[in-house]
Amino acid sequence: LGGNSLYAGENDVSILYRYSQRHGRLHRNAPLPGDLVFFDNTTDLNRDGSYNDLLTHVGIVERIQNDGTIIFVHQIGPRPVRARMNLSQPQKVQDPKTGQRLNHILRRGTKGAPPKTTAALFAGFATISL
């Protein structure tokens, strides 16, 4: 989509978010396939020793299951992968009754901090008009 950094500390994800503000619709519910999904605090981007960095990761919604679990595609490592996110149960990795995965872990636990799920790090959706 293109874009240039206008502000100190901006990254590719924040540039894409800003593009979405100008050319689309930002929202926090009712995603559709093709929407972007943004995450905060997935990494210590500014390397200050804290997870306090907004807009650090992005994915694309592939589909939404009947139970509300969102399947999205994102890049982790060398290949794109599918992950799950259920916003109604942000702290649960699996449904205790069915064993079905609800959320993937997006940030590993480090330095005594617990791991964080996709839903716990969710920042918003964007529907972009090109």
Side-chain angles (χ1 to χ4, degrees):
L1 294 174
N4 296 312
S5 177
L6 297 177
Y7 309 103
E10 213 171 27
N11 60 49
D12 290 342
V13 177
S14 61
I15 291 169
L16 188 55
Y17 187 87
R18 190 166 34 82
Y19 181 94
S20 300
Q21 285 177 310
R22 285 194 321 268
H23 300 286
R25 182 175 63 92
L26 297 172
H27 54 99
R28 292 194 53 85
N29 53 36
L32 298 170
D35 281 358
L36 299 176
V37 56
F38 292 96
F39 300 93
D40 290 332
N41 304 311
T42 60
T43 187
D44 181 14
L45 198 61
N46 63 8
R47 297 185 179 133
D48 68 353
S50 298
Y51 288 106
N52 57 1
D53 303 301
L54 302 179
L55 302 170
T56 56
H57 196 67
V58 65
I60 301 172
V61 174
E62 182 179 68
R63 66 183 186 277
I64 297 90
Q65 295 183 315
N66 291 338
D67 69 351
T69 300
I70 298 158
I71 311 298
F72 66 97
V73 178
H74 64 133
Q75 185 83 20
I76 297 257
R79 294 188 183 106
V81 296
R82 284 186 178 82
R84 295 170 182 262
M85 177 175 69
N86 188 299
L87 296 173
S88 66
Q89 301 184 64
Q91 303 307 322
K92 292 184 181 176
V93 174
Q94 290 182 310
D95 184 317
K97 294 179 184 174
T98 66
Q100 177 76 22
R101 178 165 310 257
L102 298 171
N103 290 290
H104 278 88
I105 298 296
L106 191 54
R107 187 179 82 209
R108 293 185 193 128
T110 57
K111 300 179 187 174
K116 294 288 187 172
T117 67
T118 50
L121 299 174
F122 169 72
F125 297 109
T127 303
I128 295 180
S129 304
L130 296 176

